């Protein structure tokens, strides 16, 4: 028996997810959206997937431009997440006038993102209401320290790096 969509949404609300802003710029326009469905696919070649609602006005802009940046947000960037989720009604063009952007790239890159990965959409697979965009990564920028912004139980939360890193190859608890 297939679960009811509301039951599925409730279950997924309990799956913590990093908060990201996906951005693009090109002949079809500049835009960005807040996304939580981002996942690594492989490290050879470095590839991530991003799920974007096909009903979004920006879906076709991302597809047509073909170049994107996944900006992984830090704990202090909740307001940006809300802006790019459309919750504050700030016009898209105005969001890109703020002094939070590194303008040295062909796509908008957040200066203070924990991680920014720039790449090219190499495939898009329709799945229900969304497209799964596969992005081959060409540039990576990371920032040390700080908190991560996660979405859990329909709210934003700051996540501290409280435990030390487990050395590669070590047994994990």
């Amino acid at each position: 028996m297939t679960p009811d969509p509301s039951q599925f949404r409730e279950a997924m609300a309990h799956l913590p997810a990093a908060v990201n802003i996906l951005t693009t710029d090109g002949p079809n326009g500049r835009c960005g959206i807040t996304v939580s469905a981002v996942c690594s696919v492989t490290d050879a070649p470095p590839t991530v997937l991003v799920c974007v609602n096909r009903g979004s006005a920006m879906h076709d802009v991302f597809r047509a431009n073909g170049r994107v940046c996944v900006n992984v947000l830090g704990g202090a960037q909740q307001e940006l997440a809300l802006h790019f989720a459309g919750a504050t009604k700030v016009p898209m063009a105005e969001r890109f006038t703020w002094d939070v952007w590194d303008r040295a790239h062909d796509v908008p890159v957040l200066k203070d993102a924990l991680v920014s990965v720039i790449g090219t959409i190499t495939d898009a697979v329709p799945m229900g209401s969304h497209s799964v965009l596969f992005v081959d990564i060409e540039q990576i920028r990371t920032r040390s320290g700080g908190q991560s912004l996660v979405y859990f139980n329909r709210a934003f939360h700051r996540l501290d790096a409280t435990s030390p890193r487990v050395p590669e190859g070590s047994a994990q608890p």
Side-chain angles (χ1 to χ4, degrees):
M1 178 180 224
T2 303
D4 177 81
S6 63
Q7 181 185 21
F8 179 74
R9 284 190 300 275
E10 180 64 24
M12 292 301 98
H14 291 84
L15 177 66
V19 180
N20 311 272
I21 295 177
L22 180 68
T23 57
T24 190
D25 196 359
N28 293 281
R30 177 186 298 158
C31 67
I33 58 173
T34 301
V35 295
S36 59
V38 175
C39 179
S40 65
V41 176
T42 181
D43 64 354
T47 305
V48 298
L49 66 79
V50 182
C51 298
V52 176
N53 191 314
R54 290 187 301 171
S56 165
M58 291 160 278
H59 174 273
D60 292 342
V61 177
F62 286 108
R63 289 287 321 270
N65 282 345
R67 300 271 303 149
V68 297
C69 181
V70 177
N71 296 281
V72 181
L73 299 187
Q77 294 176 311
Q78 178 177 332
E79 187 174 357
L80 277 173
L82 291 169
H83 289 310
F84 281 90
T88 62
K89 307 298 183 210
V90 173
M92 185 66 68
E94 185 178 328
R95 299 174 200 173
F96 289 104
T97 64
W98 302 328
D99 190 32
V100 296
W101 301 104
D102 178 347
R103 303 186 194 292
H105 305 276
D106 63 338
V107 292
V109 175
L110 278 172
K111 291 179 184 177
D112 292 332
L114 288 179
V115 176
S116 295
V117 293
I118 300 170
T120 300
I121 298 170
T122 56
D123 199 5
V125 178
M127 180 57 63
S129 60
H130 285 64
S131 287
V132 181
L133 307 178
F134 291 89
V135 181
D136 281 0
I137 304 304
E138 298 151 9
Q139 295 177 31
I140 299 171
R141 188 176 75 188
T142 60
R143 176 175 59 88
S144 297
Q147 298 172 317
S148 178
L149 187 63
V150 298
Y151 197 70
F152 172 70
N153 202 19
R154 295 183 174 87
F156 292 108
H157 303 272
R158 293 177 182 204
L159 181 64
D160 289 314
T162 56
S163 60
R165 289 183 116 174
V166 176
E168 196 171 309
S170 298
Q172 297 202 14

